[in-house]
Amino acid sequence: NSKNTNVQEALDKLTLQEKIRLLNGVGSWYTSDANGKLPAVMMTDGPHGLRKQGKEQNLADINDSIQSTCFPTASCVANSWDLDLIHEMSGAIADQALKEEVGIVLGCGMNIKRSPMCGRNFEYFSEDPLLAGSLAAAYIDGMQSKNVGTSIKHFCCNNQETRRQSSDSIVDDRALREIYLRPFEIAVRNTQPTTIMASYNKVNGKYSCLNKEIITDIVRGEWGYEGAVISDWGAAVSIADCIKAGLDLAMPDSGGYQPDMIQKAYDEGYITEEEINRSAAKVIELIQRVANNPKVDVDYNEHHQLARKIAANSAVLLKNAGVLPLSDKQKDIVVLGQMADGMRFQGGGSSHINAFTGPNAIDSLKAAGFNVH
């Protein structure tokens, strides 16, 4: 297998210290270049648009990123049940990633909507494992068809935001496999996503990033996953244990702390060079897979029209008592609610897109010839 040969050749050229450094990110968004021996790959947040922060951006401000198309959120597109539409959307996001020299878009989000109070439900597809897994597979396939990497998240049982960095998801084996793991299993078996992002929370008493039963025994052993397992940003607690359990890349840069901890564990005989090599090889494979992509031109107006099409095809009308569509005779309309003016078309947090401006609902109704009160 030429892929394995290329990875092994690159691995053989690295010192132990360079291999260890490869297991931790550089800055907020990059992989290590191993002292110039490898290309550095950039990853950025997604999943419903590109949230790239360049050198001129304030990294501490998650709302400060380059302008990009804000596509409808997962909670919206899932209502379409349209795999082709989601494939088209992720392909467009991939084109914008290629334009901006981004190798991996951190998405899609695909946790189960277990509680209506989960702060990131808008980033997740469904309460249903089959629907979530099927849509995720279409998303991954669309993006990876352009050779842009994906990162399915947040693995696993990360079904609330409240105290997500210390919460313990206690779940029996049947529910775990039939509900919470199933979407990820569908995605992995059908598409081999570039990376899987391990979550902050504990699962049955063990942090996801060092939970060998989940990230190695099930994902690699049972599902045949071949990609890299990366940590959510700051989720790799006790890095040597994480690497031993099957984590490959801890993000973001820890300022030397995590490489020092891996070196110490190696010096004390707790972790072997074989274990370090296994993870380093996965990172090299990841880099070789998405580095050196060609830049492409993007028609942002075309992408805006695509976002409109997706939103329209995802709208669900629960009841219509003969009111819609509005007739030409109904020239006067009363619009209630602040969101008609300041429209809410996305959530906040790490997926917040610095979107291009567009008309709001009131402007659109006026443009269609209505008198709006």
Side-chain angles (χ1 to χ4, degrees):
N1 185 312
S2 62
K3 181 178 78 172
N4 292 345
T5 306
N6 291 342
V7 170
Q8 191 58 50
E9 283 175 0
L11 189 66
D12 290 343
K13 291 174 183 170
L14 304 185
T15 65
L16 177 66
Q17 284 69 36
E18 287 166 345
K19 288 186 283 194
I20 288 172
R21 185 64 190 88
L22 208 55
L23 311 186
N24 190 202
V26 172
S28 296
W29 306 113
Y30 288 90
T31 58
S32 167
D33 69 355
N35 291 321
K37 295 177 184 176
L38 295 165
V41 165
M42 185 182 195
M43 47 194 93
T44 69
D45 281 318
H48 61 90
L50 209 63
R51 195 186 77 82
K52 179 187 176 184
Q53 292 186 300
K55 291 186 175 71
E56 65 281 0
Q57 257 82 35
N58 172 15
L59 295 182
D61 180 2
I62 55 179
N63 293 341
D64 186 16
S65 56
I66 65 156
Q67 274 196 305
S68 60
T69 306
C70 183
F71 288 92
T73 59
S75 60
C76 178
V77 295
N79 297 326
S80 72
W81 291 59
D82 191 330
L83 302 179
D84 293 336
L85 208 58
I86 285 167
H87 190 281
E88 197 176 351
M89 180 182 88
S90 64
I93 297 169
D95 283 341
Q96 295 193 16
L98 290 169
K99 178 182 183 293
E100 293 295 338
E101 300 179 89
V102 169
I104 301 168
V105 175
L106 300 169
C108 51
M110 50 183 300
N111 291 93
I112 290 292
K113 298 184 189 189
R114 182 173 182 269
S115 162
M117 293 182 289
C118 173
R120 288 175 88 171
N121 276 345
F122 72 94
E123 282 187 48
Y124 303 143
F125 290 118
S126 181
E127 305 89 327
D128 180 84
L130 177 62
L131 181 59
S134 302
L135 297 177
Y139 181 101
I140 296 158
D141 201 41
M143 190 160 285
Q144 293 185 179
S145 70
K146 304 281 181 88
N147 208 45
V148 174
T150 57
S151 191
I152 57 174
K153 62 187 187 181
H154 307 88
F155 189 74
C156 68
C157 299
N158 179 187
N159 308 101
Q160 67 180 53
E161 286 297 280
T162 307
R163 291 193 281 280
R164 64 180 179 172
Q165 288 167 313
S166 57
S167 63
D168 188 359
S169 304
I170 297 168
V171 52
D172 67 41
D173 198 52
R174 182 173 178 182
L176 180 67
R177 287 175 176 276
E178 291 186 2
I179 300 172
Y180 301 103
L181 290 180
R182 180 69 85 231
F184 290 95
E185 181 181 6
I186 292 168
V188 167
R189 287 187 187 275
N190 284 291
T191 62
Q192 283 290 343
T194 324
T195 69
I196 295 175
M197 186 189 294
S199 54
Y200 290 113
N201 55 291
K202 296 173 185 169
V203 180
N204 292 330
K206 276 190 177 175
Y207 285 108
S208 296
C209 288
L210 49 76
N211 198 317
K212 180 177 179 290
E213 181 189 2
I214 289 167
I215 64 175
T216 292
D217 299 350
I218 293 175
V219 172
R220 294 199 191 282
E222 294 182 27
W223 301 349
Y225 180 59
E226 295 172 0
V229 179
I230 72 173
S231 77
D232 203 341
W233 267 231
V237 179
S238 184
I239 184 65
D241 290 310
C242 293
I243 300 301
K244 286 181 79 70
L247 189 80
D248 301 309
L249 173 62
M251 292 297 293
D253 201 325
S254 63
Y257 176 74
Q258 286 174 326
D260 286 352
M261 289 293 101
I262 297 170
Q263 182 70 52
K264 184 169 181 279
Y266 172 78
D267 292 341
E268 293 171 356
Y270 181 67
I271 196 167
T272 65
E273 187 162 6
E274 188 182 8
E275 288 169 320
I276 292 166
N277 285 348
R278 185 211 66 225
S279 288
K282 288 295 177 191
V283 179
I284 292 168
E285 191 179 314
L286 158 74
I287 291 167
Q288 289 182 347
R289 196 165 160 183
V290 300
N292 305 316
N293 278 335
K295 282 185 77 167
V296 302
D297 288 326
V298 169
D299 183 337
Y300 287 100
N301 187 55
E302 192 181 291
H303 283 187
H304 180 70
Q305 296 309 320
L306 173 61
R308 279 186 62 173
K309 182 179 90 168
I310 294 165
N313 281 293
S314 302
V316 178
L317 189 63
L318 297 182
K319 185 178 181 181
N320 184 14
V323 175
L324 299 173
L326 295 171
S327 75
D328 290 341
K329 294 169 187 171
Q330 296 162 302
K331 278 299 176 193
D332 285 276
I333 298 177
V334 176
V335 176
L336 306 176
Q338 188 183 1
M339 285 188 186
D341 182 24
M343 294 187 70
R344 186 69 179 267
F345 50 85
Q346 63 173 323
S350 63
S351 70
H352 181 89
I353 304 302
N354 181 11
F356 294 100
T357 53
N360 61 31
I362 294 171
D363 295 335
S364 300
L365 286 165
K366 284 178 178 175
F370 295 100
N371 300 320
V372 180
H373 303 277

